[in-house]
Amino acid sequence: MASNSTNALPPHVYNVGRADSTIAADNAALKCFNTYRRVSLEKGTFDEMPYVEIEGDNFQNSIADFAEFLRTTPIPRNYTGDFDPPVSAQDSDEPIRVITSA
């Protein structure tokens, strides 16, 4: 069983069948989606989405819009809160590395 060291659950609660790496990847994806909503849409986080944004096809449309944003926006690796590159990369003459698909 996974040690659950990367999630915020109390020690007596387990995500049965979920590896720590899966939980960490979910957290990274959620961070990216929340940043997208805050920066591009000026809306709250995934957990704060009102029902009207989730009902019917609205959530599918939101995910499609998010996918389009990811496809057309260069996002720096290890980005900071507003999809900005880390300070160390900003102060360097080196090119800023971006996230790419496999």
Side-chain angles (χ1 to χ4, degrees):
M1 180 178 291
S3 67
N4 291 314
S5 60
T6 59
N7 63 13
L9 296 175
H12 62 281
V13 177
Y14 298 99
N15 283 313
V16 177
R18 298 192 75 215
D20 285 344
S21 59
T22 302
I23 294 168
D26 288 350
N27 291 340
L30 189 57
K31 175 187 170 194
C32 186
F33 184 72
N34 287 340
T35 303
Y36 157 75
R37 284 184 53 82
R38 185 175 41 76
V39 170
S40 298
L41 306 177
E42 297 181 358
K43 295 185 177 183
T45 65
F46 175 79
D47 292 332
E48 299 168 349
M49 289 178 79
Y51 180 73
V52 70
E53 290 186 46
I54 299 171
E55 69 182 345
D57 290 337
N58 292 344
F59 190 66
Q60 287 179 328
N61 294 335
S62 294
I63 296 300
D65 292 343
F66 178 50
E68 178 65 16
F69 171 82
L70 293 174
R71 187 183 72 78
T72 58
T73 306
I75 300 172
R77 288 187 182 189
N78 303 316
Y79 66 87
T80 61
D82 294 333
F83 291 127
D84 294 327
V87 174
S88 60
Q90 293 176 15
D91 294 337
S92 172
D93 290 334
E94 295 294 317
I96 295 172
R97 298 179 65 172
V98 296
I99 299 170
T100 58
S101 62

